Amino acid sequence: MSSVKFIYPMPFDVRQLHEQINRYAQAYQTTRCHREDRLAQLCAPLRDGFAHADALLETCRAATRIPGLRWASALFDAGEPINRQFPFGQEPDRYALVAADGSQILPDRHKPFVFAYVQVGCAGLVYGESRHPLVEQLRRVKRSQLIEESALFDERTGELKPPAEIVNLRDLMEIELMAQACRMARDADLQPVLVADGSLVPFALLTSRNLAYDAERLLNPLKAALSVIRDCGAWVCGYIDRPNSNSIARTCALAGLSPDAVTERTLREREREVAGVFDRHLLERELAPAHRTALFDPRWEVNAPQYLGEHAVRACYVNFGEPGRPIIARIEAPQWCAGAIGALCAVLHRHARLGGGYPLILKAAHEEAVVRQEDQHEIEQAIEQALLASGILAQASFKQEAKDRA
C-alpha cells in the first residue's frame, strides 16, 4: 500500500474575498448613513434646550408598566434629567485606587486531560502618600482555581459545559478579590476606590431567564462581596470601554410620545428606529469632554428589589476625550455609591489620560491577572507529571496529535 503525502497547504489569498469584502463595505456604509439620519432627531432630548424631560420620564415610566414586557431603556429617575451634563468632581486627597481583572484557560476535549483554570489579580496605587507598602501587597493578592474534569461535564448530556460557566466563576472571583483588597485598604486607613473591568454584575445575571435559580450560585455571592465593599466605605464602579448599549437611544426614541400612547406595538416601532444606533454614537456628538451624563437606571431585571435590592446599579456615560476626539465610556456603580460618582469619574479620567484613552490602572490589573501561553504550558506539564506519578499516562485525541505533528 503506497503512502499518501500532502504538499504544503495553499497560501491564503485575500483576493478571493474581494466580492464579499466589497459587499461588507457597502452594507457598512448603508448602515452608517441610516444611523446618521437618525442621530439628528435622537440627540434632541440630550440637549440643554430640550423642554420635555419630565414628560419623557413619564412616558418611560408608562413603558415599564406594560404587563409582560420589559422595556430595556434608560430610566432617568435619580433626580438628574436626561438633558443635564455634569463636570467631573474632585479626587480625594488621600486614597487607594485598586483594580481587579481575571483570565482563564477553557477546557479542550482534545487535550490529554480536560481541565479549566481561572486566575484573578489586582493592581493598586496609593495617592497622598509616597512608597506605601500597600501597593506591593496588592500585587501579591491573587486567587486561582483549577477545575477538575468531573466538574466540567454536563451530567445530562455528557458534553462539556458552556464556556460561560467558567467566565461566571471568573467574574465572581474578581469581585470577591476586590472585597479582599478593599479590606486591606481600609485597614491601612485609606479611602478605597475600586474599579472593575466591565460591569460589576456578571453577564449571566444580566441575561438570565431564571434569576431565582441563579440567585444561589451567582447573585448571593455578588451581594455578599458588595456588602463588604459598602461596609468599608469604599467607592466602587465598573468601567465599560466602547460600550454597545442602546438604552439611552431607546429612551430618546420615545420623545414626543404621550404616556397614553405607549403600547407594546408603539414601543416595537420605536425600537426598530434605533436599530444599529448605540448610546456612544449619540454621546460622541453631544457629551462635552470631562463631563458625564445624568445617572439612570439601566432597567435590568436583576436590578429589581427582590434581586440586587440595595445594591441595584445606576449608570452614566463619560467623555474622557478632547474636543474633536471623544472617548465615550460607561460607568456603573451601586446606588449607595451614587454620591461619589463625580469623584470616581475624576479618578478614572486621570488614569484614562495616563493610559492613552483607557485607564492605566485597568491595564496594570490585566497584566497581573493574565494567564500567558507559557503559564498554560507550565500548568499542563505539572498536571501531566502528577498523573504520571499516579501511574496514569494521559493521551491526546488523534486530532490533537495530528495537529501537534504538523
Side-chain angles (χ1 to χ4, degrees):
M1 181 177 179
S2 61
S3 62
V4 177
K5 293 184 178 180
F6 290 97
I7 60 175
Y8 292 111
M10 290 292 291
F12 176 72
D13 186 357
V14 72
R15 291 174 297 181
Q16 295 177 354
L17 299 176
H18 182 72
E19 290 186 10
Q20 295 181 55
I21 290 173
N22 282 343
R23 286 197 298 271
Y24 171 85
Q26 291 168 3
Y28 188 94
Q29 183 182 30
T30 300
T31 300
R32 185 165 184 170
C33 289
H34 171 74
R35 184 170 69 227
E36 292 298 317
D37 290 342
R38 292 292 301 127
L39 284 177
Q41 182 177 349
L42 288 171
C43 285
L46 300 175
R47 293 171 182 155
D48 188 53
F50 183 67
H52 309 291
D54 291 341
L56 179 55
L57 176 58
E58 291 308 311
T59 298
C60 290
R61 283 176 169 151
T64 68
R65 293 193 291 266
I66 296 179
L69 176 70
R70 176 161 289 275
W71 177 246
S73 66
L75 191 65
F76 290 86
D77 63 348
E80 298 178 353
I82 187 173
N83 62 333
R84 284 283 307 279
Q85 298 185 14
F86 300 85
F88 300 155
Q90 296 293 320
E91 295 181 52
D93 294 330
R94 185 173 174 273
Y95 66 97
L97 175 61
V98 180
D101 200 5
S103 184
Q104 66 279 325
I105 302 172
L106 295 175
D108 183 348
R109 63 189 177 90
H110 294 292
K111 292 285 188 178
F113 35 82
V114 178
F115 75 100
Y117 177 73
V118 178
Q119 177 174 286
V120 296
C122 66
L125 289 170
V126 172
Y127 287 92
E129 289 190 23
S130 61
R131 299 185 179 277
H132 199 287
L134 180 67
V135 175
E136 188 61 29
Q137 292 167 8
L138 288 171
R139 290 190 62 205
R140 296 192 177 96
V141 176
K142 280 188 169 69
R143 293 191 180 193
S144 61
Q145 185 168 337
L146 184 70
I147 306 166
E148 60 179 292
E149 185 172 319
S150 61
L152 294 170
F153 285 89
D154 190 314
E155 294 179 355
R156 296 170 299 172
T157 66
E159 296 290 334
L160 279 171
K161 294 178 181 178
E165 295 289 324
I166 310 300
V167 174
N168 292 340
L169 175 62
R170 182 204 68 196
D171 290 344
L172 282 181
M173 288 174 64
E174 285 179 24
I175 192 71
E176 289 170 349
L177 186 72
M178 289 175 67
Q180 179 183 348
C182 183
R183 283 195 179 109
M184 294 170 64
R186 179 50 69 194
D187 289 344
D189 196 29
L190 293 163
Q191 169 65 51
V193 179
L194 314 176
V195 56
D197 184 16
S199 179
L200 291 173
V201 182
F203 186 71
L205 289 176
L206 300 180
T207 58
S208 175
R209 295 186 178 182
N210 189 351
L211 282 169
Y213 167 77
D214 288 327
E216 185 68 27
R217 65 191 188 99
L218 293 175
L219 184 58
N220 291 344
L222 170 66
K223 291 167 67 176
L226 288 173
S227 292
V228 169
I229 292 170
R230 177 204 58 202
D231 294 346
C232 285
W235 304 341
V236 60
C237 70
Y239 180 90
I240 297 95
D241 179 62
R242 196 176 174 82
N244 278 349
S245 173
N246 66 352
S247 55
I248 289 183
R250 286 168 175 257
T251 296
C252 291
L254 299 186
L257 189 67
S258 70
D260 294 338
V262 174
T263 64
E264 183 173 355
R265 179 180 177 180
T266 58
L267 290 178
R268 295 309 178 202
E269 289 173 351
R270 300 295 176 108
E271 187 176 59
R272 286 192 290 271
E273 293 178 8
V274 300
V277 178
F278 299 137
D279 295 343
R280 58 183 164 86
H281 295 140
L282 280 71
L283 297 169
E284 284 170 354
R285 290 184 169 204
E286 301 298 330
L287 186 57
H291 282 69
R292 66 169 177 89
T293 66
L295 286 169
F296 60 88
D297 178 353
R299 292 289 301 150
W300 304 324
E301 184 178 2
V302 74
N303 244 6
Q306 68 268 33
Y307 298 123
L308 277 175
E310 61 185 339
H311 301 301
V313 169
R314 295 295 178 262
C316 69
Y317 288 91
V318 295
N319 186 352
F320 286 160
E322 301 172 353
R325 188 177 176 271
I327 299 175
I328 304 299
R330 177 165 160 144
I331 306 293
E332 296 176 357
Q335 60 185 5
W336 44 261
C337 200
I341 199 70
L344 280 167
C345 290
V347 169
L348 287 171
H349 189 205
R350 173 206 280 253
H351 270 257
R353 294 196 304 269
L354 291 172
Y358 182 75
L360 183 62
I361 191 67
L362 288 174
K363 288 184 179 181
H366 169 77
E367 292 300 318
E368 294 295 338
V370 67
V371 181
R372 294 174 174 80
Q373 189 172 4
E374 55 267 29
D375 301 332
Q376 179 171 346
H377 183 64
E378 283 191 37
I379 293 171
E380 290 174 349
Q381 281 191 322
I383 294 175
E384 185 175 14
Q385 290 169 4
L387 291 175
L388 283 172
S390 301
I392 300 171
L393 178 62
Q395 183 178 6
S397 71
F398 291 112
K399 178 179 179 179
Q400 185 66 49
E401 288 184 349
K403 287 182 178 181
D404 291 341
R405 288 195 300 267

